Amino acid sequence: MIAKLALAPVLLWQGRQVRRSALRLPEAAGPRQGVEEPEMTFNAEREPLRLAVLGDSSAAGVGVPHQHQALAQPLAAALAHRLARPVAWRLLAQTGHTAAEALAHLQASPPEPTDWLLVIVGVNDAVAQTPAARFTHTLDAIDAWGRAHLGLRHTLHSALPPMDQFPLLPWPLRSVLGRDARRLDAAARSRVSCAAGRHHAPLPTLPAPAAQWMAEDGFHPGRAGYAAWAEHLAGFIAQVDEGEVDQGLVA
């Protein structure tokens, strides 16, 4: 904290410079809801698994041209393949959203029955210096609202990315934001670790430098990053969901 205060003038100046010069990419075009069908059809008549993705610019697909190259739709397609079951998906995301703004977005959207809610927030909270206690309190509120109004079974909190590896950010700003992102992520992981139906998923381990998996803006995932992320999350969700089926907990 003392070091951050000492660096405050430099960090503020670097933040202004980044905002002024950063390449601003649009959110991915295309539909924000749909149904992905399995390739194998023996379970095709089952009720679809209902997935909602809530969050910020990465949830919205900034960094790729179309939703089929982003996260929500490929995740639904990967789940349909793994579960041999239709997956109905919808996307509730907007560039710049903090956890609190994502909660407001969720509350303002038409309530639709949802089995899994994937929550992708935290980068903007790190930038905004949101205290960890407030961040986790908002994550609790997202989960509680979903269970009360959507019939939610599971909330999956995706880990924050390593902001200290973002090519866009200069040093020492990237080091400070990286530390702040890890702080928020650790708080979220600790909060959900003992909560039934809540999960924390780490990011996939990528075998190349982060820059090779990112978009040209140096801040968001690119096609390869989104593809790896979608497959990784699909594996996590499928493992939990298939475990429930094996235990007879899901019709």
Side-chain angles (χ1 to χ4, degrees):
M1 180 61 71
I2 294 175
K4 186 186 291 187
L5 289 174
L7 289 171
V10 174
L11 299 175
L12 290 171
W13 180 82
Q14 287 186 330
R16 287 194 295 268
Q17 291 296 108
V18 167
R19 284 190 291 271
R20 184 178 298 117
S21 62
L23 177 63
R24 299 184 185 279
L25 299 177
E27 297 177 358
R32 294 202 166 203
Q33 61 181 13
V35 178
E36 297 298 316
E37 298 288 347
E39 296 175 7
M40 301 177 66
T41 59
F42 63 87
N43 275 340
E45 294 183 0
R46 287 181 60 190
E47 285 293 316
L49 182 78
R50 300 163 300 186
L51 168 71
V53 178
L54 175 73
D56 54 23
S57 54
S58 292
V62 171
V64 293
H66 197 276
Q67 288 297 335
H68 71 255
Q69 302 160 329
L71 181 66
Q73 187 174 0
L75 170 57
L79 275 172
H81 173 72
R82 287 174 180 266
L83 298 174
R85 176 184 181 185
V87 176
W89 63 278
R90 64 174 178 144
L91 175 61
L92 306 171
Q94 186 171 323
T95 297
H97 271 186
T98 62
E101 289 166 331
L103 171 60
H105 190 166
L106 179 65
Q107 293 171 332
S109 301
E112 297 181 11
T114 303
D115 298 307
W116 279 86
L117 177 65
L118 170 61
V119 181
I120 302 170
V121 293
V123 167
N124 295 306
D125 289 278
V127 172
Q129 298 293 286
T130 302
R134 187 191 306 165
F135 180 67
T136 54
H137 177 76
T138 305
L139 297 185
D140 291 345
I142 289 172
D143 177 76
W145 199 92
R147 293 181 188 278
H149 298 275
L150 308 179
L152 195 63
R153 292 195 290 115
H154 295 281
T155 302
L156 176 58
H157 303 275
S158 183
L160 274 72
M163 296 186 72
D164 51 358
Q165 297 182 33
F166 283 11
L168 173 68
L169 302 176
W171 187 89
L173 180 62
R174 67 171 177 265
S175 177
V176 170
L177 289 179
R179 185 168 58 249
D180 289 338
R182 289 192 295 273
R183 172 179 53 84
L184 293 180
D185 192 58
R189 185 172 62 250
S190 176
R191 179 60 64 93
V192 307
S193 62
C194 298
R198 293 181 70 182
H199 315 272
H200 177 277
L203 295 177
T205 301
L206 303 179
Q212 298 186 27
W213 295 82
M214 300 188 75
E216 57 182 324
D217 66 354
F219 197 82
H220 292 93
R223 294 188 187 187
Y226 278 122
W229 195 11
E231 284 292 336
H232 179 73
L233 291 173
F236 188 102
I237 293 172
Q239 184 177 21
V240 174
D241 217 78
E242 288 177 328
E244 288 188 338
V245 171
D246 291 342
Q247 296 172 35
L249 299 178
V250 178

